[in-house]
Amino acid sequence: MAALKVHPKVYWIWNHRGWCLNNVPSGPGTEDEGDPRGWEKDLWNKRVVCVLAWSYRRVVLASMPIPRPETSELAYTTRKIEANFSNFSAWHQRSKVLLSLWSKGELDPKNSREDEFDLVHDAMYTDPKDQSVWIYHPLARWFRSACFLPLSIQNSRDIQGDDKEILEREITIIQSLLDEEPDSKWCMESLVHYKSLLLRNHSLSANTSTLRRECIALLKQLREVDSGRKARYDEIELELAKS
Amino acid sequence: MSKELDTLLVPLHVSYIQNLGKNKDDLMYHLTAHLRMNAIYWGLTALCTMNHRDALDRDEMVEYVMSCWDEEAGGFGAHPDHDAHILSTLSAIQILLTQDAIDRLDIDRVVKFILSLQQPSGVFAGDSFGEIDTRFSYIAVNALSLLGRLGDLDADKTVGYIVQCRNFDGGFGSRVGAESHAAQVFVCCAALTILDKLDEIDTPTLSWWLAERQLPNGGLNGRPEKLEDVCYSFWVLASLSMLKKVHYINSDKLTSFILSAQDPEGGGIADRPGDMVDVFHTHFGVAGLSILGYPGLVDLDPVYCMPAALIEKMGLRKGWQALERRAG
Ligand SMILES: [Zn+2]
């Protein structure tokens, strides 16, 4: 029994410590101390685009004597995303920095939201097949996962008040992308999601029968282009019928 | 896929697991001492799921587990001369329960060891060296629940930390600020399930994110834009079963993917077709197939990752849903 052996490849549950030691070139306490840029550039040059590198970066940033301002961290993620839209770790880090800046009142959610939309639209149009951007889409953040935001921001009128106009604007933008990329499942999926939100949250002012019909047509197409996830689309359609 | 890989090769996997225990001279044996206790748990649980629970000697196994007891710390190490760690302690508890030998355990001391690892923030450390991670929180919650001592835990504090690890995509990270990962989603979902706090999960967003883990070849990945791997079959499916959304995954395609990663000669399952097999992926591949209702397998409780009948008998079953078992 004692001899039960395991192939010593890197397992998720074990690899964390070892990975950091082996793959993050040089941490704080080395010649680069105080400036995460040195080792980080090295990191990126080696194309080690890895979630653990980002975790480590957060640890390093948090442990620096004078914390690096979050606004420059935000600018950093902008550069990373613009260099490669498909960098999910950078999008993730960005969501964390934004949330922190908003809740501290250091950034106005309403204005910065528009910047986020601009960035996301660039990314969507650059590579509509990349899922990072669709998961990150600002509406996704605010509406898909409202509980992710602190209550103070969730309830602020800035976020809630113009929600219908934003939904409609995003639907228009995604629709025109779908016209160019008629097979894009991400476009269709997002359209269904945002149209369902209009139906659910603005049923008095929206044209409900048209919206419902459009959703059903999109779901039919989704079952064809993304047949593996058919069961989920069936379920959304059932929900739609109930609403 | 070659013809022989369209079914689960149960007798081969059973003998693969039995043979793992036989060669002490092997270099691998020494390299993987820190995984020994987990490896026994993976092997035993895979055997239980394949309905061959007695393929490894029970008494020898129980004696090995007890030889890893760290008297000073009050927990189990992975190997007789190793310090206690929360990972090997949970595996030891799971093995002793599965082998009906929990009376060998000094429950009060183990509970004390586990509780001592909770940090002021609410998260747990793995050992006295203090590496923190939400997977250690899950392990603590799981172990205390199995020992009937969840009442000793500061549940609000534990949940409070896990909730802070929730991300905009509905998933969870290893610590506050870390990005979502399917395995981390599993540990956080399971801890919240055991603590009856499933309402802290944004189910529509998270089940969407989990459904998007399936790739065109049928396999599942752990994060967007990454490669498929057999072990994610379990992390993703178990999470979905707690959210009652296993049907979001295409079962036929995932089943074929897992079967294609079998070694038709020596037995065992690899992370993906053509790679070297190991007991970890063998266990999680079989576990994934069980959740998918694969014929002839035994139900596995996805929350505790132990035989479902045992968890049910202990009165710990939560409201998860797997796919119905298909007739063989
Ligand atoms: Zn794996």
Side-chain angles (χ1 to χ4, degrees):
Chain A
M1 187 57 51
L4 198 61
K5 68 190 176 194
V6 191
H7 184 238
K9 65 184 286 175
V10 183
Y11 292 134
W12 158 73
I13 56 167
W14 289 99
N15 63 10
H16 187 82
R17 224 180 312 198
W19 194 96
C20 280
L21 290 173
N22 294 328
N23 293 282
V24 176
S26 53
T30 66
E31 64 274 22
D32 291 326
E33 188 165 24
D35 176 16
R37 290 290 180 74
W39 63 265
E40 179 185 280
K41 251 187 224 143
D42 199 23
L43 205 67
W44 286 107
N45 291 344
K46 287 178 183 167
R47 301 177 59 105
V48 185
V49 183
C50 173
V51 58
L52 291 171
W54 282 89
S55 302
Y56 189 70
R57 181 181 159 76
R58 273 186 295 272
V59 173
V60 172
L61 291 177
S63 63
M64 277 164 53
I66 303 159
R68 178 183 159 100
E70 281 170 322
T71 42
S72 64
E73 186 64 14
L74 190 66
Y76 172 82
T77 64
T78 312
R79 283 201 306 281
K80 285 300 155 203
I81 290 167
E82 282 170 351
N84 173 14
F85 284 125
S86 174
N87 186 338
F88 193 79
S89 296
W91 288 109
H92 166 84
Q93 179 74 349
R94 189 172 182 86
S95 79
K96 293 294 177 192
V97 176
L98 275 175
L99 184 60
S100 167
L101 287 168
W102 294 336
S103 48
K104 287 186 203 148
E106 287 173 26
L107 201 64
D108 173 39
K110 193 173 178 175
N111 292 336
S112 78
R113 183 174 57 186
E114 290 310 307
D115 295 339
E116 292 313 292
F117 276 121
D118 288 344
L119 184 65
V120 156
H121 295 154
D122 279 355
M124 271 162 42
Y125 273 84
T126 306
D127 184 4
K129 288 187 186 64
D130 176 62
Q131 57 178 292
S132 301
V133 62
W134 294 103
I135 293 173
Y136 182 78
H137 193 286
L139 284 174
R141 240 186 19 245
W142 277 299
F143 298 114
R144 277 209 192 261
S145 195
C147 62
F148 166 71
L149 291 173
L151 272 178
S152 56
I153 299 178
Q154 264 183 50
N155 295 337
S156 96
R157 283 193 48 223
D158 280 350
I159 297 287
Q160 303 237 317
D162 50 5
D163 133 71
K164 182 166 184 253
E165 285 139 62
I166 291 183
L167 276 173
E168 286 170 342
R169 184 189 70 188
E170 290 307 303
I171 286 172
T172 309
I173 291 173
I174 299 169
Q175 181 62 53
S176 55
L177 182 56
L178 180 61
D179 295 342
E180 278 174 40
E181 302 271 338
D183 292 330
S184 166
K185 85 154 210 188
W186 295 104
C187 287
M188 294 182 223
E189 205 275 345
S190 296
L191 283 174
V192 170
H193 182 70
Y194 301 130
K195 286 178 191 219
S196 315
L197 278 172
L198 266 184
L199 269 171
R200 199 178 319 143
N201 300 339
H202 304 278
S203 55
L204 292 177
S205 50
N207 187 342
T208 51
S209 60
T210 310
L211 280 172
R212 192 166 285 129
R213 209 171 43 242
E214 289 166 349
C215 284
I216 290 171
L218 285 163
L219 286 164
K220 183 163 178 275
Q221 256 184 297
L222 275 166
R223 280 188 286 255
E224 283 157 23
V225 300
D226 190 25
S227 57
R229 275 168 278 266
K230 183 180 166 296
R232 178 167 173 265
Y233 302 128
D234 289 343
E235 198 173 282
I236 295 173
E237 189 165 333
L238 267 176
E239 288 295 314
L240 212 61
K242 280 189 232 156
S243 69
Chain B
M1 201 199 315
S2 62
K3 196 163 173 275
E4 62 230 289
L5 290 183
D6 55 6
T7 54
L8 185 66
L9 308 168
V10 171
L12 260 185
H13 299 321
V14 171
S15 64
Y16 165 74
I17 293 170
Q18 286 174 317
N19 285 331
L20 285 171
K22 292 192 177 145
N23 193 356
K24 276 198 191 185
D25 300 329
D26 199 312
L27 177 65
M28 299 297 181
Y29 170 80
H30 299 282
L31 285 175
T32 59
H34 66 296
L35 283 169
R36 195 77 19 88
M37 185 74 84
N38 296 77
I40 295 172
Y41 155 72
W42 295 325
L44 173 63
T45 309
L47 289 172
C48 288
T49 310
M50 293 186 288
N51 209 6
H52 280 80
R53 173 191 150 122
D54 300 325
L56 290 172
D57 187 88
R58 173 190 180 272
D59 296 342
E60 198 193 331
M61 190 183 295
V62 171
E63 288 319 312
Y64 178 77
V65 170
M66 294 316 296
S67 74
C68 296
W69 173 252
D70 176 350
E71 176 56 30
E72 207 180 311
F76 289 89
H79 197 263
D81 49 3
H82 286 199
D83 290 340
H85 193 286
I86 199 167
L87 277 163
S88 32
T89 299
L90 173 65
S91 288
I93 294 169
Q94 290 172 312
I95 295 165
L96 292 176
L97 277 167
T98 305
Q99 297 288 24
D100 196 19
I102 200 70
D103 55 322
R104 298 286 300 271
L105 191 66
D106 184 342
I107 293 181
D108 286 337
R109 284 211 66 196
V110 174
V111 168
K112 207 172 144 205
F113 168 68
I114 293 170
L115 291 173
S116 75
L117 296 171
Q118 189 165 33
Q119 308 298 301
S121 67
V123 71
F124 278 76
D127 56 20
S128 53
F129 294 103
E131 180 193 5
I132 58 155
D133 193 311
T134 46
R135 77 191 133 109
F136 301 142
S137 299
Y138 161 67
I139 288 169
V141 168
N142 185 346
L144 292 170
S145 168
L146 289 173
L147 297 174
R149 297 290 290 272
L150 216 45
D152 295 17
L153 175 75
D154 186 337
D156 289 347
K157 202 161 104 175
T158 310
V159 171
Y161 187 88
I162 294 174
V163 168
Q164 285 180 65
C165 298
R166 193 173 52 203
N167 293 320
F168 67 91
D169 49 25
F172 294 84
S174 59
R175 57 189 78 193
V176 174
E179 78 185 65
S180 301
H181 182 291
Q184 231 62 52
V185 166
F186 163 74
V187 293
C188 292
C189 279
L192 293 172
T193 298
I194 293 172
L195 295 169
D196 294 320
K197 289 285 182 191
L198 220 51
D199 55 346
E200 295 287 356
I201 294 174
D202 176 358
T203 301
T205 306
L206 181 54
S207 49
W208 169 61
W209 187 86
L210 288 166
E212 293 297 341
R213 296 306 101 241
Q214 189 162 32
L215 299 171
N217 69 1
L220 308 181
N221 65 9
R223 285 181 283 142
E225 319 291 351
K226 300 286 172 189
L227 280 180
E228 69 284 354
D229 181 328
V230 161
C231 64
Y232 293 118
S233 310
F234 178 77
W235 313 124
V236 172
L237 288 175
S239 306
L240 283 170
S241 72
M242 291 177 237
L243 305 176
K244 303 192 169 82
K245 302 285 185 199
V246 177
H247 58 281
Y248 278 13
I249 296 296
N250 183 318
S251 167
D252 291 345
K253 289 181 83 175
L254 178 56
T255 301
S256 302
F257 172 76
I258 298 171
L259 294 176
S260 71
Q262 299 178 102
D263 176 348
E265 272 132 46
I269 303 176
D271 57 353
R272 60 184 69 95
D275 283 359
M276 176 112 123
V277 301
D278 59 72
V279 66
F280 176 89
H281 288 94
T282 304
H283 163 55
F284 287 114
V286 170
L289 290 173
S290 173
I291 296 175
L292 292 174
Y294 192 88
L297 292 180
V298 171
D299 290 349
L300 179 87
D301 185 293
V303 180
Y304 293 89
C305 199
M306 284 172 65
L310 177 61
I311 296 298
E312 181 127 34
K313 199 174 98 194
M314 294 172 71
L316 296 176
R317 195 196 192 281
K318 298 293 177 181
W320 51 269
Q321 260 172 22
L323 296 189
E324 206 166 313
R325 180 107 13 241
R326 298 190 297 281

